[in-house]
Structures are given as C-alpha cells and as structure tokens.
Amino acid sequence: QAQLVQSGAEVKKPGASVKVSCKASEYRFIAYYIYWVRQAPGQGLEWMGWLNPNSGVTNYAQKFQDRVTMTRDTSINTVYMEVSRLRSDDTAVYYCARAGYGLLHGMDVWGQGTTVTVSS
Amino acid sequence: QSVLTQPPSVSAAPGQKVTISCSGSSSNIGSNSVSWYQQVPGTAPKLLIYDNNKRPSGIPDRFSGSKSGTSATLGITGLQTGDEADYYCGTWDISLSPWVFGGGTKLTVL
C-alpha cells in the first residue's frame, strides 16, 4: 500500500529555515506528482505547491514563491520542502500528498503531517 | 477568505442524509473537476471523491459527489457518528494559485 512518511516536529525561531522531508514507499516514486499543503491551527487547508519527482520541476503558490523550495532525491524516494525566513504565522501542520489520479485530480495518499512551530 | 465557498457547519441525525455544498466560479469548478476530503481532527485529510463523482477504492458508496455549473456537492447517506469530521472541497483554478480548497465544513452527527 502506497505510503508517505514525513519527518518529525520542528521548533524554529523567526527568521530561521525549516526543511521537511516526505519519504514515499510501495509505489513508483517518479510516476506521481507530490503536493505540499499546510494547515494553521484551527484553520483550513492551504496549497503551497507541487513537485514533479521525475523532472524536479516545481510550481509554487504565489504567496510562497520567494520563501519555499521543493526538491527531491530519487535515490531514496524522498521529497523535501524548505521554508525560509520563517514567521510566526508559518506555524502550522505541513502535509505532503500524492496526486494519484493525475496532477489536477486530487490527492489520494497523504503523509501524517509535520508540525512546525515558529516562536521566539 | 477562500476561493471556494462552503457552509461552516452542517448537522444531521444518525442514519439521515446530509449534503455539503461547494460554490466556485468559471475559473475553477466551472472548468475543472472537484475532489472532496474528510479530515478527522488531529489526523491527515483523506480523499473521498475525485473527478467530481468517483470514489477511491475503499470509500463506501454512502459518499457521493456531483457537480453542476460552478457548484459541487458532497452527499453522505446513512450518517454514522464516525462521519463527524471537517470536509473540504478542492479543485484547480486557472486564474489563481493553481490549486484551491474550500474553507471547510464541520459535520456534526447529532
């Protein structure tokens, strides 16, 4: 069964960076896009961007264009999402999710989420 | 303010049916397929419906989806207490950041 396993919780100071990993298993890693979605405490889901694990091509939401970088390492079936210049309002749970039915058709497998807390 | 509009909350009794609406525009729902997600608090979202009305393997047929024009609807029949969760719609938007979600709807099974 396809699975995404994310790295553990992080606590960062404002202005720092955080890098979250998402390791895929039990499916062909390069065959499916990966989305990143975040959820601030008590809030809804917010799409951050996607990455094509085969080519490394990315597409970021406009509000994250200058602070988010998504990369992958195909040798270990892992996708990374780094957020720089962290602010308190970046405190959220960050999810990776697979586009299992094609890029624009929904996210069928989700990671367990990584809590990132930004606090001085 | 979400691009896709959902009611903040809905409620119904066990065994009853409920519908959750998702209203958008011609740049999103009107021209692209909709997916629906269930999120029990403290857990990751789960895909219920993709391509407007298709269910992934393992999702019971109590869950259904439909789309008409610039709106989509999630239906749940035979409500169970385990259906209490937040429900989100999502789709591609050709004019904004490509993927957008609704604000979410909290379902209470009374």
Side-chain angles (χ1 to χ4, degrees), chain A residues 27-73:
Chain A
Y27 74 91
R28 188 165 174 252
F29 174 67
I30 60 172
Y32 301 94
Y33 281 73
I34 294 290
Y35 290 80
W36 286 91
V37 174
R38 77 177 187 179
Q39 187 171 37
Q43 302 300 307
L45 303 174
E46 180 176 32
W47 177 77
M48 300 180 69
W50 64 54
L51 173 138
N52 179 334
N54 186 34
S55 64
V57 172
T58 56
N59 188 344
Y60 305 136
Q62 197 166 16
K63 71 176 286 186
F64 299 112
Q65 287 277 356
D66 60 345
R67 293 199 302 130
V68 167
T69 304
M70 297 175 188
T71 57
R72 91 290 192 214
D73 185 338

Short mmCIF file of all heavy atoms in Angstrom, two decimals, chain A residues 27-73:
data_model
loop_
_atom_site.label_atom_id
_atom_site.label_comp_id
_atom_site.label_asym_id
_atom_site.label_seq_id
_atom_site.Cartn_x
_atom_site.Cartn_y
_atom_site.Cartn_z
N TYR A 27 5.23 2.36 -4.03
CA TYR A 27 4.74 2.75 -5.35
C TYR A 27 5.91 3.34 -6.13
O TYR A 27 6.97 3.62 -5.55
CB TYR A 27 3.57 3.73 -5.28
CG TYR A 27 3.92 5.16 -4.90
CD1 TYR A 27 4.22 6.12 -5.87
CD2 TYR A 27 3.93 5.57 -3.58
CE1 TYR A 27 4.52 7.42 -5.54
CE2 TYR A 27 4.23 6.87 -3.22
CZ TYR A 27 4.52 7.80 -4.21
OH TYR A 27 4.83 9.10 -3.87
N ARG A 28 5.73 3.51 -7.42
CA ARG A 28 6.79 4.04 -8.27
C ARG A 28 6.92 5.55 -8.05
O ARG A 28 6.09 6.33 -8.53
CB ARG A 28 6.49 3.71 -9.74
CG ARG A 28 7.63 4.04 -10.68
CD ARG A 28 7.41 3.37 -12.03
NE ARG A 28 8.43 3.80 -12.99
CZ ARG A 28 8.20 4.61 -14.02
NH1 ARG A 28 6.98 5.06 -14.25
NH2 ARG A 28 9.18 4.95 -14.83
N PHE A 29 7.95 5.92 -7.34
CA PHE A 29 8.12 7.29 -6.84
C PHE A 29 8.03 8.34 -7.93
O PHE A 29 7.37 9.37 -7.75
CB PHE A 29 9.49 7.37 -6.14
CG PHE A 29 9.88 8.74 -5.68
CD1 PHE A 29 9.19 9.38 -4.66
CD2 PHE A 29 10.97 9.40 -6.25
CE1 PHE A 29 9.56 10.65 -4.22
CE2 PHE A 29 11.36 10.66 -5.82
CZ PHE A 29 10.65 11.29 -4.80
N ILE A 30 8.67 8.11 -9.07
CA ILE A 30 8.76 9.17 -10.08
C ILE A 30 7.48 9.30 -10.90
O ILE A 30 7.37 10.19 -11.75
CB ILE A 30 9.96 8.94 -11.02
CG1 ILE A 30 9.82 7.60 -11.75
CG2 ILE A 30 11.27 9.03 -10.26
CD1 ILE A 30 10.87 7.41 -12.84
N ALA A 31 6.51 8.46 -10.68
CA ALA A 31 5.31 8.43 -11.51
C ALA A 31 4.22 9.41 -11.07
O ALA A 31 3.29 9.66 -11.84
CB ALA A 31 4.73 7.02 -11.55
N TYR A 32 4.32 9.95 -9.87
CA TYR A 32 3.23 10.78 -9.34
C TYR A 32 3.76 12.08 -8.75
O TYR A 32 4.69 12.08 -7.95
CB TYR A 32 2.47 10.03 -8.25
CG TYR A 32 1.85 8.74 -8.70
CD1 TYR A 32 2.53 7.54 -8.54
CD2 TYR A 32 0.59 8.72 -9.30
CE1 TYR A 32 1.98 6.35 -8.97
CE2 TYR A 32 0.04 7.54 -9.72
CZ TYR A 32 0.74 6.35 -9.56
OH TYR A 32 0.19 5.18 -9.98
N TYR A 33 3.10 13.19 -9.12
CA TYR A 33 3.42 14.47 -8.52
C TYR A 33 3.18 14.41 -7.01
O TYR A 33 2.33 13.65 -6.53
CB TYR A 33 2.54 15.57 -9.10
CG TYR A 33 2.94 16.08 -10.45
CD1 TYR A 33 2.76 15.32 -11.60
CD2 TYR A 33 3.48 17.36 -10.60
CE1 TYR A 33 3.11 15.80 -12.84
CE2 TYR A 33 3.83 17.86 -11.85
CZ TYR A 33 3.64 17.06 -12.96
OH TYR A 33 3.98 17.55 -14.20
N ILE A 34 3.92 15.27 -6.30
CA ILE A 34 3.72 15.45 -4.87
C ILE A 34 3.30 16.90 -4.61
O ILE A 34 3.94 17.84 -5.06
CB ILE A 34 4.98 15.13 -4.06
CG1 ILE A 34 5.32 13.64 -4.15
CG2 ILE A 34 4.82 15.57 -2.60
CD1 ILE A 34 4.36 12.73 -3.40
N TYR A 35 2.19 17.04 -3.86
CA TYR A 35 1.74 18.35 -3.39
C TYR A 35 2.24 18.58 -1.96
O TYR A 35 2.45 17.64 -1.21
CB TYR A 35 0.21 18.38 -3.29
CG TYR A 35 -0.59 18.35 -4.55
CD1 TYR A 35 -0.83 17.17 -5.23
CD2 TYR A 35 -1.19 19.51 -5.02
CE1 TYR A 35 -1.63 17.13 -6.36
CE2 TYR A 35 -1.99 19.50 -6.15
CZ TYR A 35 -2.20 18.30 -6.82
OH TYR A 35 -3.00 18.27 -7.94
N TRP A 36 2.37 19.86 -1.62
CA TRP A 36 2.54 20.25 -0.22
C TRP A 36 1.37 21.16 0.17
O TRP A 36 1.04 22.10 -0.56
CB TRP A 36 3.87 20.95 0.01
CG TRP A 36 5.03 20.01 -0.02
CD1 TRP A 36 5.78 19.66 -1.12
CD2 TRP A 36 5.57 19.27 1.07
NE1 TRP A 36 6.75 18.75 -0.77
CE2 TRP A 36 6.65 18.51 0.58
CE3 TRP A 36 5.27 19.19 2.43
CZ2 TRP A 36 7.43 17.67 1.39
CZ3 TRP A 36 6.04 18.36 3.23
CH2 TRP A 36 7.10 17.61 2.71
N VAL A 37 0.78 20.84 1.32
CA VAL A 37 -0.39 21.55 1.83
C VAL A 37 -0.13 21.85 3.30
O VAL A 37 0.43 21.01 4.01
CB VAL A 37 -1.66 20.67 1.70
CG1 VAL A 37 -2.86 21.33 2.35
CG2 VAL A 37 -1.94 20.35 0.23
N ARG A 38 -0.53 23.02 3.77
CA ARG A 38 -0.34 23.31 5.19
C ARG A 38 -1.67 23.69 5.83
O ARG A 38 -2.62 24.09 5.15
CB ARG A 38 0.71 24.39 5.41
CG ARG A 38 0.26 25.81 5.13
CD ARG A 38 1.38 26.79 5.48
NE ARG A 38 0.93 28.17 5.37
CZ ARG A 38 1.71 29.22 5.63
NH1 ARG A 38 2.97 29.05 6.00
NH2 ARG A 38 1.21 30.44 5.51
N GLN A 39 -1.69 23.59 7.14
CA GLN A 39 -2.90 23.89 7.91
C GLN A 39 -2.51 24.56 9.20
O GLN A 39 -1.94 23.93 10.10
CB GLN A 39 -3.68 22.61 8.18
CG GLN A 39 -5.03 22.82 8.84
CD GLN A 39 -5.84 21.55 8.89
OE1 GLN A 39 -5.32 20.46 9.09
NE2 GLN A 39 -7.15 21.68 8.68
N ALA A 40 -2.79 25.85 9.30
CA ALA A 40 -2.52 26.60 10.53
C ALA A 40 -3.51 26.15 11.61
O ALA A 40 -4.58 25.63 11.30
CB ALA A 40 -2.65 28.08 10.26
N PRO A 41 -3.17 26.36 12.85
CA PRO A 41 -4.04 25.92 13.95
C PRO A 41 -5.46 26.45 13.80
O PRO A 41 -5.67 27.66 13.65
CB PRO A 41 -3.35 26.49 15.19
CG PRO A 41 -1.92 26.60 14.81
CD PRO A 41 -1.91 26.96 13.36
N GLY A 42 -6.44 25.54 13.80
CA GLY A 42 -7.83 25.93 13.71
C GLY A 42 -8.28 26.44 12.35
O GLY A 42 -9.41 26.92 12.21
N GLN A 43 -7.41 26.34 11.37
CA GLN A 43 -7.73 26.88 10.04
C GLN A 43 -7.90 25.75 9.01
O GLN A 43 -7.75 24.57 9.33
CB GLN A 43 -6.61 27.83 9.58
CG GLN A 43 -6.37 28.98 10.53
CD GLN A 43 -7.60 29.85 10.71
OE1 GLN A 43 -8.21 30.32 9.74
NE2 GLN A 43 -8.00 30.06 11.96
N GLY A 44 -8.19 26.15 7.77
CA GLY A 44 -8.40 25.20 6.70
C GLY A 44 -7.11 24.82 6.00
O GLY A 44 -6.01 25.18 6.43
N LEU A 45 -7.26 24.09 4.89
CA LEU A 45 -6.12 23.61 4.13
C LEU A 45 -5.65 24.68 3.15
O LEU A 45 -6.47 25.37 2.53
CB LEU A 45 -6.51 22.35 3.35
CG LEU A 45 -7.05 21.19 4.19
CD1 LEU A 45 -7.54 20.07 3.29
CD2 LEU A 45 -6.00 20.68 5.16
N GLU A 46 -4.34 24.78 2.99
CA GLU A 46 -3.76 25.79 2.10
C GLU A 46 -2.72 25.10 1.21
O GLU A 46 -1.73 24.56 1.70
CB GLU A 46 -3.12 26.91 2.89
CG GLU A 46 -2.49 28.00 2.03
CD GLU A 46 -1.94 29.15 2.85
OE1 GLU A 46 -1.49 28.92 3.99
OE2 GLU A 46 -1.95 30.28 2.34
N TRP A 47 -2.93 25.16 -0.11
CA TRP A 47 -1.99 24.56 -1.04
C TRP A 47 -0.74 25.42 -1.16
O TRP A 47 -0.83 26.64 -1.31
CB TRP A 47 -2.66 24.43 -2.41
CG TRP A 47 -1.76 23.89 -3.47
CD1 TRP A 47 -1.39 22.60 -3.67
CD2 TRP A 47 -1.12 24.65 -4.50
NE1 TRP A 47 -0.55 22.50 -4.75
CE2 TRP A 47 -0.37 23.74 -5.28
CE3 TRP A 47 -1.09 26.00 -4.85
CZ2 TRP A 47 0.38 24.14 -6.37
CZ3 TRP A 47 -0.34 26.40 -5.94
CH2 TRP A 47 0.39 25.46 -6.69
N MET A 48 0.43 24.80 -1.10
CA MET A 48 1.68 25.53 -1.17
C MET A 48 2.39 25.36 -2.52
O MET A 48 3.08 26.28 -2.99
CB MET A 48 2.62 25.06 -0.06
CG MET A 48 2.09 25.26 1.33
SD MET A 48 3.23 24.69 2.58
CE MET A 48 4.53 25.92 2.41
N GLY A 49 2.25 24.20 -3.11
CA GLY A 49 2.92 23.98 -4.38
C GLY A 49 3.00 22.49 -4.70
O GLY A 49 2.51 21.66 -3.94
N TRP A 50 3.60 22.19 -5.85
CA TRP A 50 3.82 20.79 -6.19
C TRP A 50 5.17 20.58 -6.85
O TRP A 50 5.81 21.53 -7.31
CB TRP A 50 2.70 20.23 -7.07
CG TRP A 50 2.54 20.84 -8.43
CD1 TRP A 50 3.47 20.98 -9.41
CD2 TRP A 50 1.34 21.35 -8.97
NE1 TRP A 50 2.93 21.57 -10.52
CE2 TRP A 50 1.63 21.79 -10.28
CE3 TRP A 50 0.04 21.49 -8.49
CZ2 TRP A 50 0.65 22.38 -11.09
CZ3 TRP A 50 -0.92 22.06 -9.30
CH2 TRP A 50 -0.62 22.50 -10.60
N LEU A 51 5.57 19.34 -6.85
CA LEU A 51 6.84 18.96 -7.46
C LEU A 51 6.65 17.71 -8.29
O LEU A 51 5.92 16.79 -7.89
CB LEU A 51 7.88 18.70 -6.35
CG LEU A 51 9.23 18.13 -6.81
CD1 LEU A 51 10.38 18.79 -6.07
CD2 LEU A 51 9.29 16.63 -6.60
N ASN A 52 7.28 17.69 -9.44
CA ASN A 52 7.30 16.50 -10.28
C ASN A 52 8.55 15.70 -9.90
O ASN A 52 9.66 16.13 -10.20
CB ASN A 52 7.36 16.93 -11.75
CG ASN A 52 7.41 15.75 -12.70
OD1 ASN A 52 7.86 14.66 -12.35
ND2 ASN A 52 6.95 15.96 -13.91
N PRO A 53 8.40 14.57 -9.24
CA PRO A 53 9.57 13.82 -8.78
C PRO A 53 10.44 13.29 -9.92
O PRO A 53 11.61 13.00 -9.72
CB PRO A 53 8.96 12.65 -7.99
CG PRO A 53 7.62 13.11 -7.60
CD PRO A 53 7.16 13.96 -8.75
N ASN A 54 9.89 13.19 -11.11
CA ASN A 54 10.65 12.68 -12.23
C ASN A 54 11.62 13.74 -12.77
O ASN A 54 12.81 13.51 -12.94
CB ASN A 54 9.70 12.23 -13.34
CG ASN A 54 10.44 11.55 -14.49
OD1 ASN A 54 11.45 10.86 -14.29
ND2 ASN A 54 9.96 11.76 -15.70
N SER A 55 11.08 14.95 -13.00
CA SER A 55 11.89 16.01 -13.60
C SER A 55 12.44 17.00 -12.58
O SER A 55 13.39 17.73 -12.89
CB SER A 55 11.03 16.79 -14.59
OG SER A 55 9.96 17.44 -13.91
N GLY A 56 11.83 17.07 -11.40
CA GLY A 56 12.21 18.07 -10.40
C GLY A 56 11.53 19.41 -10.62
O GLY A 56 11.74 20.34 -9.83
N VAL A 57 10.71 19.51 -11.65
CA VAL A 57 10.02 20.78 -11.93
C VAL A 57 9.00 21.06 -10.82
O VAL A 57 8.31 20.16 -10.34
CB VAL A 57 9.31 20.72 -13.29
CG1 VAL A 57 8.43 21.95 -13.49
CG2 VAL A 57 10.34 20.64 -14.41
N THR A 58 8.94 22.32 -10.43
CA THR A 58 8.06 22.73 -9.35
C THR A 58 7.09 23.83 -9.79
O THR A 58 7.31 24.50 -10.80
CB THR A 58 8.87 23.26 -8.15
OG1 THR A 58 9.70 24.35 -8.62
CG2 THR A 58 9.73 22.18 -7.54
N ASN A 59 6.04 24.00 -9.00
CA ASN A 59 5.09 25.09 -9.20
C ASN A 59 4.63 25.52 -7.82
O ASN A 59 4.04 24.73 -7.08
CB ASN A 59 3.90 24.61 -10.04
CG ASN A 59 2.98 25.76 -10.44
OD1 ASN A 59 3.03 26.85 -9.88
ND2 ASN A 59 2.14 25.52 -11.42
N TYR A 60 4.94 26.76 -7.45
CA TYR A 60 4.63 27.25 -6.11
C TYR A 60 3.44 28.20 -6.13
O TYR A 60 3.26 28.98 -7.08
CB TYR A 60 5.83 27.97 -5.51
CG TYR A 60 7.10 27.17 -5.46
CD1 TYR A 60 8.33 27.73 -5.84
CD2 TYR A 60 7.10 25.84 -5.04
CE1 TYR A 60 9.51 27.01 -5.79
CE2 TYR A 60 8.27 25.10 -4.99
CZ TYR A 60 9.47 25.69 -5.36
OH TYR A 60 10.62 24.95 -5.32
N ALA A 61 2.66 28.18 -5.06
CA ALA A 61 1.63 29.19 -4.88
C ALA A 61 2.29 30.56 -4.81
O ALA A 61 3.40 30.71 -4.27
CB ALA A 61 0.84 28.92 -3.61
N GLN A 62 1.62 31.54 -5.35
CA GLN A 62 2.21 32.87 -5.47
C GLN A 62 2.71 33.41 -4.13
O GLN A 62 3.78 34.00 -4.05
CB GLN A 62 1.16 33.82 -6.06
CG GLN A 62 1.74 35.11 -6.60
CD GLN A 62 0.75 35.86 -7.47
OE1 GLN A 62 -0.46 35.59 -7.45
NE2 GLN A 62 1.24 36.80 -8.25
N LYS A 63 1.97 33.17 -3.05
CA LYS A 63 2.37 33.74 -1.77
C LYS A 63 3.63 33.11 -1.20
O LYS A 63 4.24 33.65 -0.27
CB LYS A 63 1.23 33.65 -0.77
CG LYS A 63 0.92 32.27 -0.26
CD LYS A 63 -0.19 32.31 0.81
CE LYS A 63 0.30 32.84 2.13
NZ LYS A 63 -0.72 32.75 3.20
N PHE A 64 4.03 31.96 -1.74
CA PHE A 64 5.23 31.27 -1.23
C PHE A 64 6.40 31.32 -2.20
O PHE A 64 7.47 30.76 -1.91
CB PHE A 64 4.89 29.82 -0.93
CG PHE A 64 3.82 29.63 0.11
CD1 PHE A 64 2.59 29.11 -0.23
CD2 PHE A 64 4.05 30.00 1.43
CE1 PHE A 64 1.59 28.94 0.72
CE2 PHE A 64 3.08 29.84 2.39
CZ PHE A 64 1.83 29.30 2.04
N GLN A 65 6.23 31.99 -3.31
CA GLN A 65 7.24 31.97 -4.40
C GLN A 65 8.65 32.26 -3.92
O GLN A 65 9.61 31.62 -4.37
CB GLN A 65 6.85 33.02 -5.45
CG GLN A 65 5.66 32.68 -6.31
CD GLN A 65 6.02 31.79 -7.48
OE1 GLN A 65 7.18 31.47 -7.69
NE2 GLN A 65 5.02 31.37 -8.23
N ASP A 66 8.79 33.23 -3.02
CA ASP A 66 10.15 33.66 -2.66
C ASP A 66 10.67 33.03 -1.37
O ASP A 66 11.78 33.34 -0.93
CB ASP A 66 10.19 35.19 -2.53
CG ASP A 66 9.24 35.70 -1.46
OD1 ASP A 66 8.35 34.94 -1.03
OD2 ASP A 66 9.37 36.87 -1.05
N ARG A 67 9.88 32.13 -0.76
CA ARG A 67 10.32 31.55 0.52
C ARG A 67 10.32 30.04 0.56
O ARG A 67 10.79 29.45 1.53
CB ARG A 67 9.45 32.07 1.66
CG ARG A 67 9.57 33.53 1.97
CD ARG A 67 9.04 33.85 3.36
NE ARG A 67 7.65 33.46 3.53
CZ ARG A 67 7.19 32.75 4.54
NH1 ARG A 67 8.00 32.33 5.49
NH2 ARG A 67 5.90 32.46 4.63
N VAL A 68 9.74 29.41 -0.44
CA VAL A 68 9.60 27.95 -0.42
C VAL A 68 10.43 27.31 -1.53
O VAL A 68 10.45 27.82 -2.66
CB VAL A 68 8.12 27.55 -0.57
CG1 VAL A 68 7.97 26.06 -0.88
CG2 VAL A 68 7.35 27.89 0.70
N THR A 69 11.09 26.21 -1.19
CA THR A 69 11.84 25.45 -2.19
C THR A 69 11.50 23.97 -2.03
O THR A 69 11.62 23.43 -0.92
CB THR A 69 13.35 25.64 -2.03
OG1 THR A 69 13.67 27.04 -2.09
CG2 THR A 69 14.10 24.91 -3.14
N MET A 70 11.08 23.34 -3.10
CA MET A 70 10.78 21.91 -3.08
C MET A 70 11.80 21.18 -3.94
O MET A 70 12.08 21.59 -5.08
CB MET A 70 9.36 21.66 -3.61
CG MET A 70 8.30 22.30 -2.75
SD MET A 70 6.64 22.13 -3.43
CE MET A 70 5.72 23.19 -2.31
N THR A 71 12.34 20.11 -3.39
CA THR A 71 13.35 19.32 -4.09
C THR A 71 13.06 17.83 -3.88
O THR A 71 12.18 17.48 -3.11
CB THR A 71 14.76 19.65 -3.56
OG1 THR A 71 14.79 19.42 -2.14
CG2 THR A 71 15.15 21.10 -3.85
N ARG A 72 13.83 17.02 -4.58
CA ARG A 72 13.67 15.58 -4.36
C ARG A 72 15.00 14.86 -4.52
O ARG A 72 15.93 15.37 -5.14
CB ARG A 72 12.60 14.98 -5.30
CG ARG A 72 13.09 14.42 -6.66
CD ARG A 72 13.53 15.48 -7.60
NE ARG A 72 13.71 14.96 -8.94
CZ ARG A 72 14.63 15.38 -9.79
NH1 ARG A 72 15.47 16.36 -9.45
NH2 ARG A 72 14.72 14.87 -11.01
N ASP A 73 15.06 13.66 -3.93
CA ASP A 73 16.21 12.78 -4.07
C ASP A 73 15.65 11.44 -4.53
O ASP A 73 15.07 10.69 -3.72
CB ASP A 73 16.95 12.64 -2.73
CG ASP A 73 18.21 11.82 -2.85
OD1 ASP A 73 18.34 11.02 -3.80
OD2 ASP A 73 19.08 11.95 -1.97
#
